[in-house]
Amino acid sequence: ASRAIRAPSGFTFEPWTAAFSPSGGLLGIPVRVVADGPRQLALVDIASGRVAVVPDSSVSPGYTLVAWSASGKWCTSAP
């Protein structure tokens, strides 16, 4: 089955650096303000399709990795 999930209004997904949580229930994905704005980290709830941009988060420009802790409690991005 496939499902399309839209980025929040005013943002675009950067899916090439996304990562699933260990349980597979969440997707950590960078989002960018449309028109080359700053990048932030967003979390997608796979079951509901809800997308939440993490407040005050920042994702460095360039090649970035998104990674989860083994417990699935923490998600981070790093250049």
Side-chain angles (χ1 to χ4, degrees):
S2 67
R3 178 182 194 174
I5 297 174
R6 296 181 190 263
S9 179
F11 289 90
T12 185
F13 284 132
E14 293 192 346
W16 48 89
T17 60
F20 283 98
S21 64
S23 70
L26 293 172
L27 179 70
I29 185 169
V31 291
R32 182 179 52 184
V33 175
V34 177
D36 290 332
R39 298 178 344 155
Q40 292 179 270
L41 185 63
L43 300 178
V44 178
D45 183 300
I46 301 303
S48 70
R50 285 192 206 129
V51 181
V53 178
V54 178
D56 300 320
S57 64
S58 176
V59 174
S60 299
Y63 184 75
T64 301
L65 298 174
V66 174
W68 289 85
S69 64
S71 69
K73 184 174 180 177
W74 302 99
C75 183
T76 190
S77 66

Coordinates of all heavy atoms in Angstrom, one line a residue:
A1 N 0.8 -1.2 0.0 CA 0.0 0.0 0.0 C 0.9 1.2 0.0 O 1.9 1.2 0.6 CB -0.9 0.0 1.2
S2 N 0.4 2.3 -0.7 CA 1.2 3.5 -0.6 C 0.3 4.6 -0.1 O -1.0 4.5 -0.2 CB 1.7 3.8 -2.0 OG 0.6 4.1 -2.9
R3 N 0.9 5.7 0.3 CA 0.2 6.8 0.9 C 1.0 8.1 0.7 O 2.2 8.1 0.9 CB 0.0 6.5 2.4 CG -0.7 7.6 3.1 CD -0.7 7.2 4.6 NE -1.7 8.1 5.3 CZ -2.0 8.0 6.5 NH1 -1.5 7.0 7.2 NH2 -2.9 8.8 7.1
A4 N 0.3 9.1 0.2 CA 0.9 10.4 0.0 C 0.7 11.3 1.2 O -0.5 11.4 1.6 CB 0.4 11.0 -1.3
I5 N 1.7 11.8 1.8 CA 1.6 12.7 2.9 C 2.2 14.1 2.5 O 3.4 14.1 2.0 CB 2.3 12.2 4.1 CG1 1.7 10.9 4.6 CG2 2.3 13.2 5.3 CD1 2.4 10.2 5.7
R6 N 1.5 15.1 2.6 CA 1.9 16.4 2.2 C 2.7 17.1 3.3 O 2.4 17.0 4.5 CB 0.7 17.3 1.8 CG 0.0 16.8 0.7 CD -1.2 17.7 0.3 NE -2.0 17.2 -0.7 CZ -2.0 17.4 -2.0 NH1 -1.1 18.3 -2.4 NH2 -2.8 16.9 -2.8
A7 N 3.7 17.9 2.9 CA 4.4 18.8 3.8 C 3.5 19.8 4.4 O 2.5 20.2 3.7 CB 5.6 19.4 3.1
P8 N 3.8 20.3 5.6 CA 2.9 21.4 6.1 C 2.9 22.6 5.2 O 3.9 22.8 4.4 CB 3.6 21.8 7.4 CG 4.4 20.6 7.8 CD 4.8 20.0 6.5
S9 N 1.9 23.4 5.2 CA 1.8 24.6 4.4 C 3.0 25.5 4.5 O 3.4 25.8 5.6 CB 0.5 25.4 4.8 OG 0.4 26.5 4.0
G10 N 3.6 25.9 3.4 CA 4.7 26.8 3.4 C 6.1 26.0 3.5 O 7.1 26.7 3.5
F11 N 6.1 24.7 3.6 CA 7.3 23.9 3.7 C 7.3 22.9 2.5 O 6.3 22.6 1.9 CB 7.3 23.1 5.0 CG 7.5 23.9 6.2 CD1 6.5 24.4 6.9 CD2 8.8 24.1 6.7 CE1 6.6 25.1 8.1 CE2 9.0 24.8 7.9 CZ 7.9 25.4 8.6
T12 N 8.5 22.4 2.3 CA 8.7 21.3 1.3 C 9.5 20.2 2.0 O 10.4 20.6 2.8 CB 9.3 21.8 0.0 OG1 9.4 20.7 -0.9 CG2 10.7 22.4 0.2
F13 N 9.3 19.0 1.8 CA 10.1 17.9 2.3 C 11.4 17.8 1.6 O 11.5 18.0 0.4 CB 9.3 16.5 2.2 CG 8.2 16.3 3.1 CD1 7.0 15.8 2.6 CD2 8.3 16.5 4.5 CE1 5.9 15.6 3.5 CE2 7.3 16.2 5.3 CZ 6.1 15.8 4.8
E14 N 12.4 17.3 2.3 CA 13.7 16.9 1.7 C 13.9 15.4 2.1 O 14.6 15.0 3.0 CB 14.8 17.8 2.3 CG 14.7 19.2 1.9 CD 16.0 20.0 2.2 OE1 16.8 19.6 3.0 OE2 16.1 21.1 1.6
P15 N 13.2 14.6 1.3 CA 13.1 13.1 1.6 C 14.4 12.3 1.5 O 14.4 11.2 2.1 CB 12.0 12.6 0.6 CG 12.1 13.6 -0.5 CD 12.5 14.9 0.1
W16 N 15.4 12.8 0.8 CA 16.6 12.0 0.6 C 17.4 11.8 1.8 O 18.2 10.9 1.9 CB 17.4 12.5 -0.5 CG 17.7 14.0 -0.4 CD1 18.7 14.6 0.3 CD2 16.9 15.1 -0.9 NE1 18.6 16.0 0.2 CE2 17.4 16.3 -0.5 CE3 15.7 15.1 -1.7 CZ2 16.9 17.5 -0.9 CZ3 15.2 16.3 -2.0 CH2 15.8 17.5 -1.6
T17 N 17.1 12.5 2.9 CA 17.8 12.3 4.2 C 16.9 11.8 5.3 O 17.4 11.8 6.5 CB 18.5 13.6 4.6 OG1 17.6 14.6 4.8 CG2 19.5 14.0 3.5
A18 N 15.7 11.4 5.0 CA 14.8 11.0 6.1 C 15.2 9.7 6.7 O 15.9 8.9 6.0 CB 13.4 10.9 5.5
A19 N 14.7 9.4 7.9 CA 15.0 8.1 8.5 C 13.8 7.7 9.4 O 13.2 8.5 10.1 CB 16.2 8.2 9.4
F20 N 13.4 6.4 9.3 CA 12.4 5.8 10.1 C 12.9 5.6 11.5 O 14.0 5.2 11.7 CB 11.8 4.5 9.5 CG 10.9 4.7 8.3 CD1 11.4 4.6 7.0 CD2 9.6 5.0 8.5 CE1 10.6 4.8 5.9 CE2 8.8 5.2 7.4 CZ 9.3 5.1 6.1
S21 N 12.0 5.7 12.5 CA 12.3 5.3 13.9 C 12.5 3.8 14.0 O 12.0 3.1 13.1 CB 11.2 5.8 14.8 OG 10.0 5.1 14.5
P22 N 13.1 3.3 15.0 CA 13.3 1.9 15.1 C 12.0 1.1 15.1 O 12.0 0.0 14.5 CB 14.0 1.7 16.5 CG 14.7 3.0 16.7 CD 13.8 4.1 16.1
S23 N 10.9 1.6 15.6 CA 9.6 0.9 15.5 C 9.0 1.0 14.2 O 8.0 0.3 13.9 CB 8.7 1.5 16.6 OG 8.3 2.8 16.2
G24 N 9.4 2.0 13.3 CA 8.8 2.2 12.0 C 7.6 3.1 12.1 O 6.9 3.4 11.1
G25 N 7.2 3.6 13.3 CA 6.0 4.4 13.4 C 6.2 5.9 13.1 O 5.2 6.6 12.9
L26 N 7.4 6.4 13.2 CA 7.7 7.8 12.9 C 8.7 7.9 11.8 O 9.6 7.0 11.7 CB 8.1 8.5 14.1 CG 7.1 8.6 15.3 CD1 7.9 9.2 16.5 CD2 6.0 9.6 14.9
L27 N 8.7 9.0 11.1 CA 9.7 9.3 10.1 C 10.2 10.7 10.5 O 9.5 11.6 10.6 CB 9.1 9.4 8.7 CG 10.0 9.7 7.5 CD1 11.0 8.6 7.3 CD2 9.2 10.0 6.3
G28 N 11.5 10.8 10.7 CA 12.2 12.0 10.9 C 12.6 12.5 9.5 O 13.3 11.8 8.8
I29 N 12.2 13.8 9.2 CA 12.5 14.3 7.8 C 12.8 15.8 7.9 O 12.0 16.5 8.5 CB 11.3 13.9 6.9 CG1 11.6 14.3 5.4 CG2 10.0 14.5 7.4 CD1 10.6 13.7 4.4
P30 N 13.8 16.2 7.2 CA 14.0 17.7 7.1 C 12.9 18.3 6.2 O 12.5 17.7 5.2 CB 15.4 17.8 6.4 CG 16.1 16.5 6.7 CD 15.0 15.5 6.6
V31 N 12.5 19.5 6.6 CA 11.6 20.3 5.8 C 12.3 21.7 5.6 O 13.1 22.1 6.5 CB 10.2 20.5 6.5 CG1 9.4 19.2 6.5 CG2 10.3 21.1 7.9
R32 N 11.9 22.3 4.5 CA 12.5 23.6 4.3 C 11.4 24.6 3.9 O 10.4 24.2 3.2 CB 13.5 23.5 3.1 CG 14.2 24.8 2.8 CD 15.1 24.7 1.7 NE 14.4 24.1 0.5 CZ 15.0 23.8 -0.6 NH1 16.3 24.0 -0.8 NH2 14.4 23.2 -1.6
V33 N 11.5 25.8 4.4 CA 10.6 26.8 4.0 C 10.8 27.0 2.5 O 11.9 27.1 2.0 CB 10.9 28.2 4.7 CG1 10.0 29.3 4.2 CG2 10.7 28.0 6.2
V34 N 9.6 27.0 1.8 CA 9.7 27.1 0.3 C 10.5 28.4 -0.1 O 10.5 29.4 0.7 CB 8.3 27.2 -0.2 CG1 8.3 27.4 -1.7 CG2 7.5 25.9 0.1
A35 N 11.2 28.3 -1.2 CA 12.1 29.3 -1.7 C 13.4 29.5 -0.9 O 13.8 30.6 -0.5 CB 11.3 30.7 -1.8
D36 N 14.0 28.4 -0.7 CA 15.4 28.3 -0.1 C 15.4 28.9 1.3 O 16.5 29.5 1.6 CB 16.4 29.0 -1.0 CG 16.7 28.1 -2.3 OD1 16.5 26.9 -2.2 OD2 17.0 28.7 -3.3
G37 N 14.4 28.7 2.1 CA 14.5 29.2 3.5 C 15.2 28.3 4.4 O 15.8 27.3 3.9
P38 N 15.2 28.6 5.7 CA 15.9 27.7 6.6 C 15.2 26.3 6.7 O 14.1 26.1 6.4 CB 15.7 28.4 8.0 CG 14.5 29.3 7.8 CD 14.5 29.6 6.3
R39 N 16.0 25.3 7.1 CA 15.6 23.9 7.2 C 15.3 23.6 8.7 O 16.1 24.1 9.6 CB 16.6 23.0 6.6 CG 16.7 23.3 5.1 CD 17.7 22.4 4.4 NE 18.7 21.7 5.2 CZ 19.2 20.5 4.7 NH1 19.0 20.1 3.6 NH2 20.1 19.9 5.5
Q40 N 14.3 22.8 8.9 CA 14.0 22.3 10.3 C 13.7 20.8 10.2 O 13.5 20.3 9.1 CB 12.7 23.1 10.8 CG 13.0 24.5 11.1 CD 11.7 25.2 11.6 OE1 10.9 25.7 10.8 NE2 11.5 25.2 12.9
L41 N 13.6 20.2 11.4 CA 13.3 18.8 11.4 C 11.8 18.6 11.7 O 11.2 19.3 12.5 CB 14.0 18.2 12.6 CG 13.9 16.6 12.7 CD1 14.5 15.9 11.5 CD2 14.6 16.2 14.0
A42 N 11.2 17.7 10.9 CA 9.8 17.4 11.1 C 9.6 15.9 11.4 O 10.5 15.1 11.1 CB 9.0 17.7 9.8
L43 N 8.6 15.6 12.1 CA 8.3 14.2 12.5 C 6.9 13.8 11.8 O 5.9 14.6 12.0 CB 8.2 14.0 14.0 CG 9.5 14.3 14.7 CD1 9.2 14.1 16.2 CD2 10.6 13.4 14.3
V44 N 6.9 12.7 11.1 CA 5.7 12.2 10.5 C 5.2 11.0 11.2 O 5.9 10.0 11.4 CB 5.9 11.9 9.0 CG1 4.6 11.3 8.3 CG2 6.4 13.1 8.2
D45 N 4.0 11.0 11.7 CA 3.3 9.9 12.3 C 2.8 9.0 11.1 O 1.9 9.4 10.5 CB 2.2 10.3 13.2 CG 1.6 9.1 13.9 OD1 1.0 8.2 13.3 OD2 1.6 9.1 15.2
I46 N 3.4 7.9 10.9 CA 3.0 7.0 9.8 C 1.6 6.6 9.8 O 0.8 6.6 8.8 CB 4.0 5.8 9.6 CG1 5.4 6.3 9.5 CG2 3.6 4.9 8.5 CD1 5.7 7.2 8.4
A47 N 1.1 6.2 11.0 CA -0.3 5.7 11.1 C -1.4 6.8 10.8 O -2.3 6.5 10.1 CB -0.5 5.1 12.5
S48 N -1.2 8.0 11.3 CA -2.2 9.0 11.1 C -1.9 9.9 10.0 O -2.8 10.6 9.5 CB -2.3 9.8 12.4 OG -1.1 10.6 12.6
G49 N -0.6 10.0 9.5 CA -0.3 10.9 8.5 C 0.0 12.3 9.0 O 0.3 13.2 8.2
R50 N 0.0 12.5 10.3 CA 0.2 13.9 10.8 C 1.7 14.2 10.7 O 2.5 13.4 11.0 CB -0.2 14.0 12.3 CG -1.7 14.0 12.4 CD -2.1 14.4 13.9 NE -3.4 13.8 14.1 CZ -3.8 13.1 15.1 NH1 -2.9 12.8 16.1 NH2 -5.0 12.6 15.3
V51 N 1.9 15.5 10.4 CA 3.3 16.0 10.3 C 3.4 17.2 11.3 O 2.6 18.1 11.4 CB 3.6 16.6 8.9 CG1 5.0 17.1 8.8 CG2 3.3 15.5 7.8
A52 N 4.5 17.1 12.1 CA 4.8 18.1 13.1 C 6.2 18.6 12.9 O 7.1 17.9 12.9 CB 4.6 17.6 14.5
V53 N 6.3 19.9 12.7 CA 7.6 20.5 12.6 C 8.1 20.8 14.0 O 7.4 21.3 14.9 CB 7.6 21.9 11.8 CG1 9.0 22.5 11.8 CG2 7.1 21.6 10.4
V54 N 9.3 20.3 14.3 CA 9.9 20.4 15.7 C 10.2 21.9 16.0 O 11.0 22.5 15.3 CB 11.1 19.5 15.9 CG1 11.7 19.7 17.3 CG2 10.8 18.1 15.6
P55 N 9.6 22.5 17.0 CA 9.8 23.9 17.3 C 11.3 24.2 17.6 O 11.9 23.4 18.2 CB 9.0 24.2 18.5 CG 7.9 23.1 18.5 CD 8.6 21.9 17.9
D56 N 11.8 25.3 17.1 CA 13.2 25.8 17.3 C 14.2 24.8 16.8 O 15.4 24.9 17.2 CB 13.4 26.1 18.8 CG 12.5 27.2 19.3 OD1 12.2 28.1 18.5 OD2 12.0 27.0 20.4
S57 N 13.8 23.8 15.9 CA 14.8 22.9 15.4 C 15.6 23.6 14.2 O 15.1 24.5 13.6 CB 14.2 21.6 14.9 OG 13.3 21.8 13.9
S58 N 16.7 23.0 13.9 CA 17.5 23.6 12.8 C 18.3 22.4 12.2 O 18.8 21.5 12.9 CB 18.5 24.6 13.3 OG 19.4 25.0 12.3
V59 N 18.2 22.3 10.8 CA 18.9 21.3 10.1 C 20.0 22.0 9.2 O 19.7 22.9 8.5 CB 18.0 20.5 9.2 CG1 18.8 19.5 8.4 CG2 17.0 19.7 10.1
S60 N 21.2 21.6 9.4 CA 22.3 22.2 8.6 C 22.2 22.0 7.1 O 21.7 21.0 6.7 CB 23.7 21.6 9.1 OG 23.9 21.9 10.4
P61 N 22.6 23.0 6.3 CA 22.5 22.9 4.9 C 23.6 21.8 4.4 O 24.5 21.5 5.1 CB 22.8 24.2 4.4 CG 23.6 24.9 5.4 CD 23.1 24.3 6.7
G62 N 23.4 21.4 3.2 CA 24.3 20.4 2.6 C 23.9 19.0 3.0 O 22.8 18.7 3.3
Y63 N 24.9 18.1 2.8 CA 24.6 16.6 3.1 C 24.3 16.4 4.5 O 25.2 16.7 5.4 CB 25.8 15.8 2.6 CG 25.5 14.3 2.7 CD1 24.7 13.7 1.8 CD2 26.1 13.6 3.8 CE1 24.5 12.3 2.0 CE2 25.9 12.3 3.9 CZ 25.1 11.6 3.0 OH 24.9 10.3 3.1
T64 N 23.1 16.0 4.9 CA 22.7 15.8 6.3 C 22.2 14.5 6.5 O 21.4 13.9 5.7 CB 21.6 16.9 6.6 OG1 22.2 18.2 6.4 CG2 21.2 16.8 8.1
L65 N 22.5 13.9 7.6 CA 21.9 12.6 8.0 C 20.9 12.8 9.1 O 21.1 13.6 10.0 CB 23.0 11.7 8.6 CG 24.1 11.3 7.6 CD1 25.2 10.5 8.3 CD2 23.5 10.5 6.4
V66 N 19.8 12.1 9.1 CA 18.8 12.1 10.2 C 18.9 10.7 10.8 O 19.0 9.7 10.2 CB 17.4 12.3 9.7 CG1 16.4 12.1 10.8 CG2 17.2 13.7 9.0
A67 N 19.0 10.7 12.2 CA 19.2 9.4 12.9 C 18.4 9.4 14.1 O 18.1 10.4 14.7 CB 20.7 9.3 13.2
W68 N 18.0 8.2 14.6 CA 17.2 8.0 15.8 C 18.1 7.2 16.8 O 18.9 6.4 16.5 CB 16.0 7.1 15.4 CG 15.0 7.8 14.6 CD1 15.0 7.9 13.3 CD2 13.8 8.4 15.1 NE1 13.8 8.6 12.9 CE2 13.1 8.9 14.0 CE3 13.3 8.6 16.4 CZ2 11.9 9.6 14.2 CZ3 12.1 9.3 16.5 CH2 11.5 9.8 15.4
S69 N 17.8 7.5 18.1 CA 18.4 6.7 19.1 C 17.8 5.3 19.0 O 16.7 5.1 18.5 CB 18.1 7.3 20.5 OG 16.7 7.3 20.8
A70 N 18.5 4.3 19.6 CA 18.0 2.9 19.6 C 16.6 2.8 20.2 O 15.8 1.9 19.8 CB 19.0 2.0 20.2
S71 N 16.4 3.6 21.2 CA 15.1 3.5 21.9 C 14.0 4.2 21.1 O 12.8 3.9 21.5 CB 15.2 4.2 23.3 OG 15.4 5.6 23.1
G72 N 14.3 5.0 20.1 CA 13.3 5.7 19.4 C 12.8 7.0 20.1 O 11.9 7.6 19.6
K73 N 13.4 7.3 21.2 CA 13.0 8.5 22.0 C 13.6 9.8 21.4 O 12.9 10.8 21.5 CB 13.4 8.3 23.4 CG 12.9 9.4 24.3 CD 13.3 9.1 25.8 CE 12.8 10.2 26.7 NZ 13.1 10.0 28.1
W74 N 14.7 9.7 20.7 CA 15.4 10.9 20.2 C 15.6 10.8 18.8 O 16.0 9.7 18.2 CB 16.7 11.1 20.9 CG 16.6 11.2 22.4 CD1 16.8 10.2 23.3 CD2 16.2 12.3 23.2 NE1 16.6 10.7 24.6 CE2 16.2 12.0 24.5 CE3 15.9 13.6 22.8 CZ2 15.9 12.9 25.5 CZ3 15.5 14.5 23.8 CH2 15.5 14.1 25.2
C75 N 15.4 11.9 18.1 CA 15.7 12.0 16.6 C 16.6 13.2 16.5 O 16.3 14.3 17.1 CB 14.4 12.1 15.8 SG 14.7 12.2 14.1
T76 N 17.7 13.1 15.7 CA 18.6 14.3 15.5 C 19.0 14.3 14.0 O 18.8 13.4 13.3 CB 19.8 14.1 16.4 OG1 20.5 15.3 16.4 CG2 20.7 13.0 16.0
S77 N 19.6 15.4 13.6 CA 20.2 15.6 12.3 C 21.6 16.1 12.5 O 21.9 16.8 13.5 CB 19.4 16.5 11.4 OG 19.5 17.8 12.0
A78 N 22.5 15.7 11.6 CA 23.9 16.1 11.7 C 24.5 16.2 10.3 O 24.1 15.4 9.4 CB 24.7 15.1 12.5
P79 N 25.4 17.2 10.1 CA 26.0 17.3 8.8 C 27.1 16.2 8.6 O 27.5 15.6 9.6 CB 26.6 18.7 8.8 CG 26.7 19.1 10.2 CD 25.7 18.3 10.9

